[in-house]
Amino acid sequence: MREPINRILSLYWYEHVGWLHGVLHQTDRCKSMKEWVSAWQDSSSYKQSILKEDPRSNYIEIENYYTKAFSNWNGKSPIGPEDFEKAKQTLLKFDLILISEWLGDETEVDTVNAVFSGRTNLVMGGKLRGNRKMQDLLKPKLAPDEDAIKEKLRQLNQWDIKLYDFAMSLVAWRLKHIVPIIRKLRGHVHVHGVHGNSNALPDAETATAISSWKDRDQQLAAERHMCDGFQEDIKTFQHTFQGEFGIFRPEGHKGP
């Protein structure tokens, strides 16, 4: 997860300006940040036209994107406390959550390397980055009032700000505990190609974790087997699935 306001600003520069200026070389078509934000608010006629065509799509989202995505929002009513609680419960079900702003932190890197042991070192140098020179060049024209826009976005994204705070607290707790637990597990069982001490007996906490891990592996294997026969169906209904999960790029997403 990324800090909500920075995510929105990045979306503007990457998805809107980056496309029109950087790819099509049609800078005159770029809307100012203020115009773009106004157009993508839930209450705007432009956003409503997108939602009317694809009610579940939140590909371009400047109001509580994370809360909507994790609560299975259907586009029919404003986000509220019930959606926020659903989003929190969804986050709790993830085995691994990463905070974008912490990706260079040694503790988070160690945790990812511990979970994905087939990779000896997590390389952080290959992160996708926006075009900073483009932003520096166009910001005086397109976003001279960025501070005021940020404040407006903070008001529009109160649920996402709360969810991001919740996610950081959850991740901080897990970063403290997950590496010792995984190391303890690997001291007793063969996990991801790592052989441990087969003679040692795990304590109750580790035994429970091992049992849960095995059950999960069996469940995933069964699901993979079941899905093998549906590959063609999935391709046929790809548009539907993408729309359901909010990743379908509706026509007009580069706009307004």
Side-chain angles (χ1 to χ4, degrees):
M1 290 182 68
R2 185 175 184 179
E3 194 281 322
I5 308 306
N6 287 334
R7 184 198 69 83
I8 297 167
L9 299 181
S10 177
L11 189 63
Y12 168 74
W13 289 111
Y14 180 83
E15 195 68 57
H16 181 68
V17 180
W19 173 254
L20 295 175
H21 170 80
V23 178
L24 299 184
H25 305 294
Q26 298 176 2
T27 310
D28 58 314
R29 290 179 57 193
C30 293
K31 301 295 183 181
S32 69
M33 183 182 289
K34 184 177 182 179
E35 291 174 306
W36 183 84
V37 166
S38 295
W40 283 106
Q41 285 184 235
D42 286 352
S43 59
S44 77
S45 58
Y46 187 79
K47 179 66 176 291
Q48 287 300 313
S49 69
I50 297 289
L51 290 176
K52 184 177 181 180
E53 186 69 24
D54 296 286
R56 298 292 292 278
S57 176
N58 57 2
Y59 184 82
I60 298 293
E61 184 58 73
I62 69 159
E63 286 193 46
N64 300 300
Y65 166 73
Y66 292 124
T67 307
K68 289 174 178 176
F70 292 134
S71 66
N72 200 27
W73 179 70
N74 60 17
K76 295 180 180 179
S77 59
I79 290 292
E82 184 176 346
D83 302 292
F84 175 65
E85 291 301 322
K86 286 181 181 179
K88 286 170 59 179
Q89 292 304 312
T90 300
L91 279 180
L92 288 170
K93 295 176 183 178
F94 277 82
D95 292 323
L96 182 65
I97 302 170
L98 299 177
I99 301 298
S100 179
E101 287 75 19
W102 295 355
L103 284 177
D105 181 83
E106 182 177 334
T107 305
E108 185 161 279
V109 172
D110 286 347
T111 301
V112 175
N113 287 332
V115 173
F116 300 103
S117 62
R119 188 183 183 99
T120 57
N121 183 45
L122 179 66
V123 179
M124 299 308 302
K127 293 191 295 184
L128 180 65
R129 299 182 184 276
N131 188 335
R132 173 56 63 181
K133 290 183 178 179
M134 176 191 71
Q135 293 185 35
D136 292 341
L137 174 67
L138 297 177
K139 185 175 179 179
K141 176 182 177 181
L142 296 178
D145 48 356
E146 184 178 270
D147 289 341
I149 294 171
K150 285 182 179 180
E151 181 55 36
K152 179 179 182 179
L153 290 173
R154 279 190 281 269
Q155 294 173 10
L156 292 174
N157 286 273
Q158 290 300 307
W159 294 115
D160 259 17
I161 291 172
K162 290 181 180 180
L163 189 65
Y164 179 72
D165 288 342
F166 172 79
M168 286 196 295
S169 297
L170 177 61
V171 171
W173 186 90
R174 289 183 174 183
L175 290 178
K176 180 180 179 181
H177 294 90
I178 193 169
V179 172
I181 290 175
I182 290 176
R183 287 173 177 167
K184 189 184 299 184
L185 278 168
R186 288 178 178 153
H188 301 295
V189 295
H190 173 213
V191 180
H192 296 305
V194 178
H195 293 276
N197 180 3
S198 59
N199 295 320
L201 294 176
D203 58 29
E205 179 186 15
T206 305
T208 300
I210 292 171
S211 176
S212 175
W213 198 318
K214 289 180 178 178
D215 290 343
R216 187 177 182 83
D217 283 346
Q218 292 174 358
Q219 180 184 355
L220 289 174
E223 290 174 354
R224 282 194 295 269
H225 177 74
M226 184 174 63
C227 288
D228 285 343
F230 296 116
Q231 292 302 311
E232 291 303 316
D233 290 336
I234 290 176
K235 292 178 182 178
T236 302
F237 295 104
Q238 185 176 16
H239 176 94
T240 302
F241 283 119
Q242 288 179 331
E244 284 293 310
F245 286 103
I247 58 175
F248 170 66
R249 293 178 294 180
E251 185 175 351
H253 72 277
K254 299 291 186 182

